[in-house]
Amino acid sequence: IIGDKNAHATATADMAFAMRAAVKLVRAPHNGEALSIRIGIHSGSAMTGVLGTIMPKFCFFGDTVNTASRMESSGMAGEIQVSGPTAALLTKKGYTLKSRGVVQIKGKKDMETFWLIKHPENRRPVIKEALKMAKVDLAKLRALLRDVETSECSDHEPQAASRSPENGFGATTGRRSSASADHRRNK
């Protein structure tokens, strides 16, 4: 990334492809259904900082983060939706995108958004390496899910996982980009 001020877009796009592929390996413990995620990416300025003194947390702030979140929430399961600025950066790097058209984005003006369809062949090794690392982590996740599945609640009812921003999938990478993702079951 050093030396290329637009590398954040390719790094985030590669991560999105790897996340989408990795989540297909995860099954819901209660019914075995495959999970899918919506991913949104936007490029622009952002600020970072550490909040808190008792439990400090590293955070991203700014309209870029909010727009990435809107790209995710207005997207479709299994798809990667990107904004116009990100699409322009990725097109220059050889990624294949398809216009979704003008979409009404909550809290924003209407925006033309794009589906991220395919990465250039020279990015394949980067994505494969990310997936290789994800499979190692998935083995740990599967073991954890087995532990949760075999434990019982006090009322002997299965616990439902709550879906909140704190336990959803999400990521931010680069100093000038943000990605947001949310997990959903395939229907």
Side-chain angles (χ1 to χ4, degrees):
I1 292 181
I2 296 173
D4 182 357
K5 68 178 184 174
N6 295 323
H8 66 277
T10 57
T12 306
D14 292 346
M15 179 187 68
F17 280 117
M19 286 171 56
R20 185 172 69 178
V23 81
K24 290 178 183 177
L25 303 173
V26 179
R27 301 276 177 197
H30 64 285
N31 62 10
E33 290 182 22
L35 299 180
S36 66
I37 57 174
R38 299 181 308 214
I39 302 172
I41 306 172
H42 176 64
S43 297
S45 60
M47 294 193 56
T48 62
V50 177
L51 293 180
T53 55
I54 296 171
M55 287 190 63
K57 293 182 181 182
F58 183 76
C59 299
F60 271 80
F61 303 95
D63 190 55
T64 298
V65 178
N66 295 335
T67 303
S69 177
R70 298 297 188 211
M71 290 292 103
E72 174 270 315
S73 63
S74 65
M76 294 173 49
E79 299 294 335
I80 304 167
Q81 181 172 230
V82 303
S83 64
T86 302
L89 294 171
L90 292 175
T91 300
K92 290 178 189 174
K93 297 289 188 175
Y95 289 78
T96 304
L97 295 105
K98 178 181 176 187
S99 176
R100 183 180 182 193
V102 176
V103 177
Q104 187 175 11
I105 305 296
K106 182 181 174 185
K108 306 246 171 235
K109 61 182 181 188
D110 292 348
M111 297 175 66
E112 182 179 14
T113 65
F114 300 82
W115 297 123
L116 183 54
I117 305 296
K118 188 177 176 191
H119 56 79
E121 288 300 315
N122 68 339
R123 301 303 296 173
R124 183 176 299 271
V126 174
I127 296 167
K128 284 178 98 174
E129 181 62 26
L131 281 172
K132 190 168 136 184
M133 289 188 297
K135 286 180 185 176
V136 170
D137 292 339
L138 282 174
K140 293 176 186 174
L141 176 63
R142 284 191 180 112
L144 177 66
L145 289 175
R146 276 193 300 275
D147 291 345
V148 170
E149 199 173 74
T150 57
S151 67
E152 293 184 19
C153 301
S154 59
D155 60 0
H156 301 287
E157 292 294 322
Q159 289 182 337
S162 63
R163 292 192 176 146
S164 67
E166 290 79 26
N167 69 1
F169 291 92
T172 54
T173 62
R175 62 183 173 85
R176 296 184 58 219
S177 69
S178 181
S180 179
D182 186 21
H183 64 289
R184 298 284 186 250
R185 289 183 300 150
N186 281 333
K187 298 273 179 179

